[in-house]
Amino acid sequence: MIRVKQKQFLIYLLMAAPVIAFAVFIFKHAINVPFMDDMELVDSINVLKNGTADVFTTLVRQQNDHRSTFPRLGIILSYLLSGTLDFRLTILLGYFNLMLLGYAFYLIYRSANKEITLFLPVMLLLFSPLVYYVHLWSLTAFQHTLSIAFSILCLYFLQPEKKSSWLFAFPIAVAATLTNLDGISVMPVCIFWLLTQKRWKDSLIFTGLTVVYLIIYFTDFKLSSASQIGFTMNSLPLMAHAFIVVTGSFARFISDTYGILLSTILGSGILLTFLVFKFFPRSEGGYRFSFLEIWKLDLTDICFLRMLGSMGMIMIGRYAEGVGTMIAPRFQIYAVSVLILFYLFLVKSAPFRKAAFFKIAAISIALVLSVYSYRKYDKAVNFNDAGLKADSYNYTRNKFFLHQYYNLPDPEPSFYENYIFPEYFGKKVIDTWKTTSGAKSDLGIQVTEYPDLPRYKTYLYRVKAIKVSNVGSEVPGKDVYLGLTENADPSRFYLVALKDDRPSWKSGKAGAGEFNVEIPGKIKPGTYTATLCWLDDDQPRFKMISKNVSL
């Protein structure tokens, strides 16, 4: 008995490791600079501070295609704690939402399993940079993650053994709808599950409450231009492909280049495997087709179907933009959650679930994916951090952002009346980087303006691709910028974050190569002195690139 308890304690200790490691990662990379739709959170505080609307109206008002009550509660909480708009604190608070989702997955696992070992892969996948894009952004940390967590908790209370407390499910379902629009998809799933359990009275009550609530929810509701809902018979193959791709979109992690192909393969495999095990359940006589068994859904099954509902919502809203949209980083938490629920389905249903090789393989694969995600996304996360820091400088000095607001005009300075942009670079640093003296190095620079490509059709500005070449290993891989000083007015200076695209050696050191970036054409046309800028132990360093760069 003591040895069993010791084993369980060790497993729980191992499960805590990825939670702590990813918390440190979030703490390190959380930046106190608003990003894109965070403008809604800024506006919510402005409205409340100015008294132009009451608290309830502000909390439930529409934001794009959502009623984002919980993201607004998150920014209000961080405002009350810090006394100002603090997006870094909001991101850190959003980490508790990820922990809540982890607990929701734990409830699913324990509903079908007593032994805890096979839950370790869930923790390794969920608490890792596989979801970095969602959890380094204030808004999505309170939207996508909570939508899934609330949906699972809602379904948890609809289990047959929870009949005495099933009504708790409805307010939790309402909470899911107040994260983003996807949360609504849990309501028909709840009704369907109650019907399959032959709980006619409960299903009628839940349906009635749902109808009344949705009438209220959609009062004065208008879909944004981002959601192009509508289809024809000719669009059905595209929609089917998009649904398969978004279901298997986790595969993009393996290869960005072949992301759509790999996602199609993984999505097809997930859907086919689920259908096979549901249509041919195991029995004493082996695996045989059973129509009645199809409708016997437990918590794992229904939560998996709920996630497929989410993927269907994403597909319907975004398929018109192309299949490539299905593997966008903003859907990371959905992709990981589908994979986790499919894994929990295998743990419950697969014939090999008790085999030693399955345990070893599951834990090993999850560990490799988790550890590798820190390496794979290192450059992307560093570039994201640098872009936000550069935007803090550019907006403060030049009144526009260069790494966001591509398809929207930059807000006026008065919009940020309740927020102070952090100063990441002191006057000494900027003065050093603004220099127009120094010998020209062997660095090269190329500026290319893209034509009106389909992927930029919503942009307000032409996109400029900038490539700095021949960058050696003496330049670090993070917090590297292109400094642009206007020759006609040397007081005008811009910072552009650069992404390290140099090849990496086995030692982890970068070889000579390129830094790249794409920015909207907001910078005034003219000639500029370009310098490669970075910090070395907090000391500003730079290399002259060219004194005559045309923009």
Side-chain angles (χ1 to χ4, degrees):
M1 186 68 178
I2 296 177
R3 292 189 64 183
V4 172
K5 288 184 177 180
Q6 288 176 337
K7 179 184 176 182
Q8 285 189 333
F9 176 76
L10 178 61
I11 293 171
Y12 280 114
L13 200 61
L14 290 173
M15 287 194 293
V19 179
I20 296 170
F22 193 50
V24 172
F25 178 90
I26 295 294
F27 186 85
K28 176 182 176 183
H29 291 287
I31 302 293
N32 182 23
V33 177
F35 180 68
M36 292 303 292
D37 288 350
D38 283 344
M39 66 184 298
E40 171 61 30
L41 305 183
V42 177
D43 188 59
S44 296
I45 295 297
N46 291 345
V47 168
L48 292 174
K49 288 282 289 182
N50 296 332
T52 53
D54 61 81
V55 175
F56 179 79
T57 301
T58 303
L59 287 175
V60 301
R61 71 180 185 179
Q62 187 176 346
Q63 175 254 327
N64 291 338
D65 297 320
H66 320 291
R67 294 197 186 277
S68 303
T69 300
F70 280 91
R72 294 186 183 109
L73 288 173
I75 197 69
I76 290 171
L77 176 59
S78 72
Y79 187 88
L80 293 174
L81 291 173
S82 64
T84 185
L85 274 168
D86 190 332
F87 293 93
R88 172 178 166 80
L89 178 57
T90 310
I91 290 169
L92 297 178
L93 291 172
Y95 194 73
F96 290 100
N97 300 333
L98 191 65
M99 295 176 71
L100 180 64
L101 179 57
Y103 176 68
F105 285 136
Y106 177 76
L107 292 176
I108 297 173
Y109 180 84
R110 290 312 294 261
S111 70
N113 304 274
K114 293 183 178 180
E115 206 270 333
I116 196 63
T117 306
L118 282 173
F119 190 69
L120 181 57
V122 174
M123 303 298 283
L124 289 168
L125 293 173
L126 187 62
F127 293 93
S128 73
L130 292 167
V131 297
Y132 86 88
Y133 194 87
V134 173
H135 275 274
L136 286 176
W137 185 356
S138 298
L139 188 79
T140 52
F142 278 86
Q143 273 189 332
H144 303 341
T145 304
L146 276 183
S147 174
I148 302 169
F150 285 150
S151 296
I152 293 173
L153 293 174
C154 165
L155 292 166
Y156 173 79
F157 281 102
L158 292 183
Q159 295 178 95
E161 58 269 29
K162 298 289 181 181
K163 286 183 180 179
S164 61
S165 55
W166 78 271
L167 275 173
F168 283 114
F170 187 75
I172 300 175
V174 169
T177 69
L178 297 176
T179 55
N180 64 5
L181 187 63
D182 162 67
I184 286 178
S185 63
V186 75
M187 289 183 158
V189 174
C190 289
I191 295 168
F192 172 73
W193 199 24
L194 288 172
L195 289 172
T196 62
Q197 296 177 43
K198 298 181 180 180
R199 294 163 62 179
W200 314 121
K201 180 181 176 181
D202 295 347
S203 62
L204 185 62
I205 294 172
F206 201 100
T207 301
L209 292 172
T210 297
V211 170
V212 172
Y213 175 72
L214 291 183
I215 291 172
I216 298 171
Y217 186 95
F218 284 108
T219 300
D220 297 325
F221 192 94
K222 294 180 180 179
L223 290 174
S224 71
S225 58
S227 293
Q228 304 174 34
I229 297 177
F231 63 91
T232 63
M233 292 301 294
N234 292 333
S235 66
L236 290 179
L238 175 62
M239 295 176 70
H241 185 207
F243 177 71
I244 292 171
V245 169
V246 74
T247 300
S249 55
F250 178 87
R252 182 192 173 174
F253 171 72
I254 300 171
S255 171
D256 295 324
T257 306
Y258 300 103
I260 294 177
L261 174 62
L262 293 174
S263 296
T264 302
I265 295 171
L266 179 60
S268 300
I270 288 174
L271 294 171
L272 286 173
T273 303
F274 179 76
L275 290 174
V276 167
F277 284 147
K278 284 307 295 179
F279 277 79
F280 297 90
R282 67 179 183 272
S283 63
E284 292 181 1
Y287 289 83
R288 294 180 180 179
F289 175 79
S290 173
F291 182 77
L292 292 177
E293 288 292 326
I294 296 173
W295 307 106
K296 292 182 179 179
L297 303 169
D298 60 16
L299 184 61
T300 308
D301 299 333
I302 201 68
C303 287
F304 180 76
L305 292 175
R306 158 66 184 91
M307 281 309 304
L308 292 185
S310 292
M311 302 328 239
M313 292 278 284
I314 294 171
M315 177 274 293
I316 291 171
R318 302 291 179 177
Y319 84 94
E321 299 175 22
V323 174
T325 311
M326 300 298 106
I327 58 174
R330 63 179 174 272
F331 302 134
Q332 280 178 336
I333 192 70
Y334 290 103
V336 172
S337 295
V338 166
L339 187 70
I340 286 174
L341 283 167
F342 177 66
Y343 164 75
L344 293 178
F345 174 75
L346 291 180
V347 169
K348 174 184 73 79
S349 305
F352 47 76
R353 67 193 185 284
K354 294 182 179 180
F357 84 88
F358 180 66
K359 285 186 179 181
I360 296 171
I363 295 173
S364 299
I365 292 172
L367 180 60
V368 169
L369 291 173
S370 180
V371 172
Y372 179 60
S373 68
Y374 283 91
R375 177 178 175 82
K376 177 179 173 64
Y377 290 126
D378 181 60
K379 291 182 178 181
V381 173
N382 288 332
F383 175 64
N384 178 73
D385 293 355
L388 292 174
K389 292 176 183 178
D391 273 347
S392 184
Y393 173 84
N394 288 320
Y395 191 84
T396 303
R397 305 301 193 281
N398 304 306
K399 303 301 180 275
F400 59 67
F401 300 102
L402 286 174
H403 297 279
Q404 54 181 304
Y405 284 94
Y406 310 109
N407 57 348
L408 292 171
D410 293 290
E412 293 294 326
S414 59
F415 179 72
Y416 296 106
E417 59 182 319
N418 293 299
Y419 169 72
I420 300 174
F421 282 90
E423 185 177 273
Y424 292 101
F425 314 106
K427 186 176 184 301
K428 176 186 174 183
V429 172
I430 296 299
D431 286 344
T432 302
W433 287 348
K434 282 174 65 174
T435 182
T436 55
S437 61
K440 187 179 183 306
S441 66
D442 58 352
L443 298 175
I445 186 169
Q446 180 181 341
V447 181
T448 304
E449 184 175 285
Y450 289 149
D452 292 325
L453 299 176
R455 67 177 180 270
Y456 302 127
K457 64 182 179 181
T458 61
Y459 284 22
L460 300 179
Y461 307 88
R462 287 288 188 91
V463 173
K464 297 181 184 292
I466 302 176
K467 177 173 69 176
V468 179
S469 55
N470 300 322
V471 182
S473 59
E474 74 278 6
V475 177
K478 63 180 182 179
D479 283 327
V480 180
Y481 305 88
L482 175 67
L484 294 170
T485 305
E486 186 178 344
N487 290 339
D489 181 8
S491 65
R492 187 70 69 185
F493 180 72
Y494 307 91
L495 269 183
V496 181
L498 295 173
K499 184 179 179 182
D500 184 5
D501 286 327
R502 295 172 296 180
S504 297
W505 298 340
K506 288 184 179 180
S507 63
K509 213 175 173 184
E514 303 171 355
F515 277 73
N516 292 280
V517 68
E518 292 181 0
I519 60 171
K522 299 180 182 180
I523 298 177
K524 178 183 174 183
T527 59
Y528 291 79
T529 295
T531 52
L532 186 67
C533 311
W534 70 93
L535 292 173
D536 184 7
D537 289 331
D538 294 327
Q539 296 301 310
R541 301 284 185 263
F542 75 94
K543 274 192 171 186
M544 180 64 66
I545 302 175
S546 173
K547 296 184 179 182
N548 188 29
V549 175
S550 179
L551 291 179

